[in-house]
Amino acid sequence: MRAQGILGGTFDPVHLGHIQSARELCERVGLERLSLMPCHMPPHRDRPQTAATHRLAMAKIAVAPWSTLGVDGRELEREGPSYTVESLAALRAEVGPQTSLIFVMGSDAFNSLHRWHRWQSLFEYANILVMQREGYPLLPAADVAKYVAGREQRAQALVEQTAGAYATIALTPWPQSATDVRARLAAGRSLDDCVPPEIEHYIQQHNLYRD
Ligand code: ATP
């Protein structure tokens, strides 16, 4: 069965935690492709600081060296809030019923899943894989915990199921966060390898995150 992963997020900006985790996921879970899917306007958090065009451009630059990684820009083409469930429904219609779709999120995102629009319906279109992110123990809301309990599988088993399953995975920890990258830039501090050099160059060239 073909298996395709999607990592949703703000990517404001993309950093090494995203890229290294995505690469490791492809290898360990057996994904043919994993696409970063930047959201236009996240319904659950503050608006991104940076224009969609810059966030998309940086995501494309960051994945370019890796043949298994890609970028899905569909949420930036839609006006209004970015609802993951709508994106996954569109993606499912594109790939057909025979492909395993795996929506990936960090444990921080998973812990607030109960606030997402039609969160149960995500499982109609895709499997959910949660990366255990350092500093964010898995603490889903009670109704989410109950909903996923009967769906849990090994992460490697998700590629054999088109949708509806849930798994967690502990990857090599990457401590980077976009919040930290923005704070470093605003304070004029060094980025210390938080982002690939091409992204640091792009940020400097476009004078992003300075105010
Ligand atoms: P911010 O600091 O602005 O909240 P972020 O660094 O969490 O941003 P997002 O774009 O929100 O970046 O992340 C997209 C997805 O990647 C989320 O599911 C998030 O949990 C996950 N993620 C982000 N950073 C890491 C990391 N260092 N390791 C593993 N997963 C990560």
Side-chain angles (χ1 to χ4, degrees), residues 41-62:
M41 206 190 283
H44 312 286
R45 44 180 290 171
D46 295 342
R47 292 173 71 98
Q49 281 195 0
T50 316
T53 46
H54 285 311
R55 291 185 291 115
L56 181 65
M58 289 189 281
K60 286 183 176 167
I61 292 168

Side-chain angles (χ1 to χ4, degrees), residues 44 83-86 88 103 105 109-110 112-128 140-149 151 166:
H44 312 286
Y83 291 122
T84 302
V85 67
E86 290 171 8
L88 292 184
F103 184 74
M105 59 174 87
F110 183 65
S112 63
L113 186 67
H114 58 290
R115 292 203 289 266
W116 289 31
H117 181 58
R118 294 176 51 212
W119 62 266
Q120 291 96 332
S121 296
L122 299 176
F123 291 88
E124 285 172 32
Y125 305 113
N127 301 299
I128 305 283
D143 46 353
V144 173
K146 197 169 154 203
Y147 193 84
V148 298
R151 298 170 178 271
Y166 157 83

Side-chain angles (χ1 to χ4, degrees), residues 7-11 15 17-18 21 45 105-106 108-109 131 133 174 176-179 182:
L7 175 62
T10 322
F11 302 106
H15 53 70
H18 298 129
S21 303
R45 44 180 290 171
M105 59 174 87
D108 54 319
M131 307 183 276
R133 194 169 168 189
W174 291 88
Q176 294 83 358
S177 74
T179 304
R182 293 193 299 271

